[in-house]
Amino acid sequence: PCGQASGPDRCETNVELGHPCSASVPSRAVMTWLSARRVWILVVWTFLVWTSRVRNIMADDGLSSTGRAIRVAIAVSFVTLAVGTTVGLVRRRLDRRWLTALVGWTILVWTVRGVGILLDDWNVGFKVVHTVLAIISIGLAVWCGQLLRKKTDVSTPVLSG
């Protein structure tokens, strides 16, 4: 349909979300719009959680400059990974490295943070809220991480439809 050559050279440069030929490219893992929706959910969730975190950090007068800087750096790292992943989604050519980093960082930080919060001297409400945030974040990351298990060349954009 796109006018590219047929056979093994068919349309491989046009592996994009929504491209009519993309499903016929056997050497690529195909991420459908349903799969892309998973990634959008993780990106939006991450953006909301960590931009809210920045507001909370800035409002906390009990933090030292160093404590504030470390917390803001972690939040900014999440927002950066969410933005990088979003750029790929918008361009319909997601680079696996952005999604891999977002998934891995989410699981790592929320596991460490969640255990730390549960073991530290916080009130029950704080522990419950942050446990729920951790479970949702890790769950979304694992859900999106399943998309990365498909056997493809890591340097190849994976979104197609």
Side-chain angles (χ1 to χ4, degrees):
C2 68
Q4 294 270 338
S6 62
D9 298 326
R10 69 179 168 268
C11 203
E12 293 202 20
T13 59
N14 290 316
V15 179
E16 300 175 357
L17 182 63
H19 190 273
C21 297
S22 59
S24 66
V25 181
S27 64
R28 306 280 201 262
V30 175
M31 186 185 289
T32 65
W33 68 271
L34 288 171
S35 298
R37 188 169 56 182
R38 283 188 201 190
V39 180
W40 274 113
I41 292 168
L42 175 61
V43 163
V44 169
W45 173 259
T46 299
F47 187 78
L48 292 174
V49 167
W50 290 99
T51 55
S52 296
R53 177 74 178 128
V54 170
R55 283 193 309 270
N56 293 341
I57 293 166
M58 297 316 219
D60 189 347
D61 293 331
L63 288 175
S64 67
S65 298
T66 304
R68 181 171 284 133
I70 291 168
R71 287 166 177 82
V72 168
I74 291 170
V76 167
S77 71
F78 274 101
V79 172
T80 301
L81 291 171
V83 168
T85 303
T86 299
V87 168
L89 288 167
V90 169
R91 290 182 178 172
R92 300 176 145 204
R93 295 182 63 82
L94 178 63
D95 184 333
R96 293 170 61 93
R97 293 171 290 196
W98 282 104
L99 182 57
T100 300
L102 179 58
V103 165
W105 191 234
T106 298
I107 292 169
L108 175 69
V109 170
W110 275 109
T111 299
V112 171
R113 182 169 163 74
V115 170
I117 287 170
L118 288 174
L119 296 177
D120 209 353
D121 190 27
W122 293 102
N123 65 48
V124 174
F126 186 89
K127 288 182 179 190
V128 168
V129 166
H130 285 82
T131 299
V132 170
L133 290 172
I135 289 169
I136 292 170
S137 296
I138 292 169
L140 288 172
V142 168
W143 191 38
C144 289
Q146 293 170 347
L147 301 171
L148 296 167
R149 293 186 192 180
K150 296 183 180 195
K151 206 171 190 176
T152 63
D153 177 4
V154 175
S155 64
T156 302
V158 296
L159 280 183
S160 62

